[in-house]
């Protein structure tokens, strides 16, 4: 017997506090015009001091479960893409399993940085296609404000906090929605371009780690930019080729919201009409693994992405990782 999977419901959560470019002008040597021109970002959401990644993930999950028309008891697995878990152990997925009141199901976090949601959705797709599971909750959630250096103007202007969720379910007879295929990649040789070196097993936490800010994000922006454009295009093209599709066959492109200029470069290289490109970076900044599911959910709720539409999602992030997924919503 063969099984197919589809996205049965989505949800998202953005914390209340907003950090604007004007606020950042008071924190580092920068200005609104530079930030907007170089990134397309005007503001980003920042988690409250009491809020952690699992809290935001919970909000997004509840919305996604309602949209999918199921309850937490129906879930067979939870997969969370994050690099900012509440704590090293237990995982955000296990914290959620308890808080949502799920059965004793498989729950784990995966570390693929900004590609975390697509990596997770791809794993979910395989478990559904194998016939093993019916409903899997996939989440991308990040509290990046806790790992950003707010004295480094090159990185602190980019990032925001958010959570996005999707329920990936087995397709029932008569439903034409489906995940066609996913295409994941990595280039570990370029891992140093975007890294957090301190606090792991090679350089455990110490006063030196704190003094040298090794527990915070370090990035070589220009090199990351170039690599991002190339790998997003490669993965997106692989997804279309694998399914015998061209840009004309895709209704919407949901590309990781890293920088407006990265998305524009991708759009130009792939010849994607601007009307098909979805964005929310202006108000969210780069929210890493949350970026794609948040934008997807907002686009569903604003009635842009409709049932039956063909959607291509593509991402890129620390690792370096990359991924694309082509679906019929
Ligand atoms: O999820 C994936 C994660 N990361 C990314 O996607 C990041 C990809 N990279 C980028 O988005 C861009 O490289 C940045 C937005 C980070 C930087 O933009 P850029 O156009 O690559 O600027 P740059 O680093 O080449 O810097 C140009 C100038 C420099 O000054 P000089 O040397 O030309 O005098 C910087 O010092 O802009 C200066 N600069 C700033 N000025 C005002 C750098 N950051 C700022 C700032 N405000 N925040």
């Amino acid at each position: 017997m063969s099984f197919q999977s589809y996205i049965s419901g989505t949800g998202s959560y953005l914390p209340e506090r907003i950090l604007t470019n004007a606020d950042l002008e008071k924190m580092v040597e920068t200005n609104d015009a530079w930030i907007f021109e170089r990134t397309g970002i005007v503001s980003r959401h920042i988690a409250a001091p009491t809020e952690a990644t699992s809290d935001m993930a919970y909000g997004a999950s509840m919305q996604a479960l309602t949209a999918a028309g199921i309850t937490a008891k129906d879930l067979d697995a939870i997969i969370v893409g994050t690099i900012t878990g509440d704590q090293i152990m237990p995982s955000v997925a296990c914290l959620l399993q308890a808080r949502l009141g799920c059965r004793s199901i498989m729950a784990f976090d995966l570390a693929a940085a900004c590609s975390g949601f697509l990596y997770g959705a791809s794993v979910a797709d395989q478990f559904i296609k194998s016939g093993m599971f019916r409903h899997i909750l996939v989440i991308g959630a990040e509290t990046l404000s806790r790992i950003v250096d707010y004295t480094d103007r090159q990185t602190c202007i980019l990032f925001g906090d958010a959570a996005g969720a999707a329920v990936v379910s087995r397709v029932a007879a008569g439903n034409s929605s489906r995940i066609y295929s996913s295409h994941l990649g990595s280039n570990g040789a370029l891992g140093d371009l975007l890294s957090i070196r301190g606090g792991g097993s090679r350089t455990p936490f110490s006063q030196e780690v704190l003094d040298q800010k090794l527990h915070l994000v370090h990035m070589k922006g220009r090199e990351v930019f170039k690599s991002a454009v190339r790998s997003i295009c490669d993965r997106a093209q692989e997804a279309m080729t694998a399914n015998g599709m061209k840009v004309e066959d895709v209704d919407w492109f949901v590309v990781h919201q890293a920088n407006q200029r990265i998305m524009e470069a991708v759009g130009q290289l792939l010849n994607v009409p601007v009307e098909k490109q979805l964005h929310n970076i202006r108000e969210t900044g780069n929210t890493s693994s949350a970026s794609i599911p948040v934008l997807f959910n907002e686009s569903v709720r604003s009635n842009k992405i409709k049932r039956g539409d063909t959607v291509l999602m593509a991402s890129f992030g620390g690792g370096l990782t990359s991924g694309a997924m082509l679906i019929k919503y």
Side-chain angles (χ1 to χ4, degrees):
M1 223 176 149
S2 80
F3 300 98
Q4 295 291 335
S5 77
Y6 79 113
I7 293 181
S8 56
T10 59
S12 59
Y13 177 93
L14 292 166
E16 216 173 285
R17 187 182 150 213
I18 290 170
L19 182 71
T20 64
N21 290 351
D23 296 328
L24 284 164
E25 284 178 3
K26 294 177 202 134
M27 296 159 69
V28 285
E29 186 61 40
T30 191
N31 59 79
D32 173 49
W34 190 96
I35 300 174
F36 185 64
E37 194 182 299
R38 299 289 178 120
T39 70
I41 302 167
V42 169
S43 59
R44 58 300 277 142
H45 292 253
I46 302 291
T50 52
E51 230 166 9
T53 299
S54 72
D55 301 318
M56 295 192 292
Y58 178 80
S61 300
M62 291 305 288
Q63 257 193 18
L65 289 170
T66 305
I70 62 166
T71 70
K73 296 261 183 276
D74 298 316
L75 288 174
D76 299 308
I78 302 175
I79 306 172
V80 180
T82 188
I83 53 160
T84 50
D86 295 29
Q87 48 199 68
I88 305 278
M89 189 169 64
S91 64
V92 172
C94 283
L95 295 173
L96 278 176
Q97 180 270 339
R99 188 158 167 195
L100 289 168
C102 301
R103 292 175 283 114
S104 162
I105 55 174
M106 175 178 94
F108 66 93
D109 291 359
L110 65 82
C114 309
S115 305
F117 175 76
L118 290 185
Y119 266 60
S122 173
V123 173
D125 178 40
Q126 304 310 316
F127 269 104
I128 303 277
K129 282 189 172 136
S130 75
M132 191 157 173
F133 292 147
R134 274 174 196 275
H135 298 290
I136 303 178
L137 179 62
V138 182
I139 294 160
E142 304 285 11
T143 318
L144 296 175
S145 59
R146 305 272 152 77
I147 56 159
V148 163
D149 179 357
Y150 283 98
T151 65
D152 174 11
R153 67 178 183 173
Q154 215 214 14
T155 50
C156 74
I157 53 138
L158 288 173
F159 298 107
D161 301 333
V167 179
V168 178
S169 301
R170 182 188 293 180
V171 170
N175 181 354
S176 66
S177 297
R178 66 200 55 228
I179 292 177
Y180 290 121
S181 65
S182 46
H183 304 267
L184 309 177
S186 65
N187 187 357
L190 296 182
D192 277 348
L193 296 184
L194 186 51
S195 64
I196 300 172
R197 279 170 290 155
S201 56
R202 184 156 311 276
T203 314
F205 265 117
S206 65
Q207 191 56 48
E208 206 182 328
V209 165
L210 286 174
D211 293 343
Q212 293 181 15
K213 298 185 175 176
L214 297 180
H215 59 301
L216 302 176
V217 174
H218 288 259
M219 184 180 74
K220 295 188 178 127
R222 275 199 183 184
E223 288 94 325
V224 172
F225 192 111
K226 281 187 229 151
S227 192
V229 174
R230 216 175 309 124
S231 47
I232 290 172
C233 286
D234 287 351
R235 295 294 89 76
Q237 194 55 63
E238 278 167 28
M240 288 188 282
T241 306
N243 294 283
M245 288 194 197
K246 295 192 163 58
V247 167
E248 303 85 89
D249 303 311
V250 179
D251 296 301
W252 302 107
F253 286 76
V254 178
V255 171
H256 169 45
Q257 305 289 291
N259 181 323
Q260 184 68 30
R261 282 161 51 225
I262 292 179
M263 296 179 266
E264 282 166 8
V266 168
Q268 275 165 17
L269 284 166
L270 294 176
N271 272 321
V272 179
V274 283
E275 317 82 72
K276 289 188 175 190
Q277 300 174 34
L278 296 169
H279 304 295
N280 65 357
I281 193 169
R282 194 185 154 96
E283 286 85 27
T284 62
N286 178 345
T287 60
S288 187
S289 67
S291 148
I292 287 182
V294 169
L295 176 57
F296 192 101
N297 177 56
E298 287 177 353
S299 305
V300 166
R301 283 169 199 268
S302 64
N303 224 20
K304 279 189 181 139
I305 298 180
K306 298 186 192 65
R307 284 286 169 202
D309 285 355
T310 300
V311 185
L312 179 49
M313 296 174 262
S315 72
F316 163 88
L320 300 174
T321 58
S322 56
M325 179 175 267
L326 190 61
I327 68 162
K328 182 170 181 181
Y329 176 59

